């Protein structure tokens, strides 16, 4: 076979594979969207510390505090009155499952944060949950246009287990960065590792770099 024939043969092969995995022209195949070390699921597993706070819309609120010009606490009605955004994103959990095309609805984190007006010194955030959970991110990561405080998924309100009434969704990080039953966003000058981050999980949590642990596994 000539070189050209080889190239054509391998392209044909690749195209065939893409057809088999349901790829549409110009889109990544499902396989290419599953990071290394992950397996695809379709049943949206539940993962948390097992302490599920009994919070509902009348008792839910979200406080933005710390290095902000306008400390603010939003109740459910105020939250729902904000512009609503939809995001379709893949979800990757460090326990090695990935679910594609999660169809979230809620308020863009950056629209919410604009109300609090973080000061120039604010560079990092702690996300708080009603169960006492915390996780940390650079403020810039929260301002990404795919980051959502979600109240619905797949066209239905979140189940209690998945964080009802509202949870954070950060598609570019492992799922532990997405605080369920979100109660607060705290702004700091310095980074403050959260619940899992102080227990050895990686600070940055990029699934495409397999940033699972902050130190070599097994230590
Ligand atoms: N408030 C709170 N948020 C949380 C957790 C938690 O224990 N409490 N667990 C995190 C972890 S480790 C994961 S993997 C995801 C799982 O989200 P899911 O249960 O909706 O799949 O939630 C994250 N958010
Ligand atoms: Mo997790």
């Amino acid at each position: 076979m000539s070189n050209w024939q080889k190239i054509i043969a391998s392209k044909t092969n690749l195209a065939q594979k893409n057809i088999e995995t349901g790829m549409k022209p110009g889109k990544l195949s499902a396989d290419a969207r599953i990071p290394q070390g992950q397996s695809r699921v379709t049943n949206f597993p539940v993962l948390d510390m097992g302490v599920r706070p009994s919070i509902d819309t009348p008792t839910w609120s979200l406080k933005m505090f710390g290095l902000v010009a306008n400390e603010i606490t939003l109740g459910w009605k105020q939250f729902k009155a904000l512009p609503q955004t939809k995001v379709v994103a893949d979800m990757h959990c460090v326990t090695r499952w990935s679910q594609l095309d999660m169809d979230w609805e809620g308020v863009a984190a950056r629209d919410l944060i604009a109300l609090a007006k973080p000061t120039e010194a604010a560079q990092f955030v702690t996300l708080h949950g009603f169960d006492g959970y915390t996780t940390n991110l650079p403020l810039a990561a929260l301002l990404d246009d795919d980051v959502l405080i979600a109240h619905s998924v797949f066209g239905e309100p979140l189940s209690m287990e998945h964080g009802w009434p509202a949870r954070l969704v950060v598609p570019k990080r492992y799922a532990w960065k997405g605080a369920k039953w979100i109660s607060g966003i705290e702004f700091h000058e310095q980074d403050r590792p959260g619940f899992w981050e102080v227990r050895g999980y990686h600070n940055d949590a990029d699934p495409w770099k397999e940033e699972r642990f902050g130190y070599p596994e097994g230590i």
Side-chain angles (χ1 to χ4, degrees), residues 17 104 170 172 205 208 213:
K17 243 177 132 180
W104 303 99
V170 191
K172 292 190 182 74
W208 294 99
F213 300 99

Side-chain angles (χ1 to χ4, degrees), residues 47-48 93-95 97 133 174-176 196 201:
L47 272 127
D48 51 49
C93 176
V94 73
T95 60
W97 58 265
Y133 185 77
Y174 282 121
W176 87 76
W196 284 118
Y201 277 22

Side-chain angles (χ1 to χ4, degrees), residues 171-182:
K172 292 190 182 74
R173 311 287 173 131
Y174 282 121
W176 87 76
K177 294 288 183 183
K180 303 196 279 189
W181 313 289
I182 190 166

Side-chain angles (χ1 to χ4, degrees), residues 99-178:
Q99 180 147 353
L100 304 182
D101 297 321
M102 304 289 297
D103 190 349
W104 303 99
E105 186 175 355
V107 176
R110 64 173 167 199
D111 291 346
L112 265 178
I113 288 168
L115 302 174
K117 299 184 172 61
T119 67
E120 269 186 31
Q123 296 296 321
F124 295 93
V125 295
T126 298
L127 294 313
H128 295 266
F130 276 98
D131 56 345
Y133 185 77
T134 57
T135 186
N136 58 307
L137 281 168
L139 175 55
L142 223 57
L143 300 178
D144 224 339
D145 57 11
D146 59 355
V147 178
L148 208 61
I149 314 290
H151 52 70
S152 300
V153 67
F154 301 131
E156 300 281 341
L158 289 176
S159 66
M160 202 267 278
E161 292 83 358
H162 285 300
W164 176 259
R167 64 140 349 129
L168 184 66
V169 177
V170 191
K172 292 190 182 74
R173 311 287 173 131
Y174 282 121
W176 87 76
K177 294 288 183 183

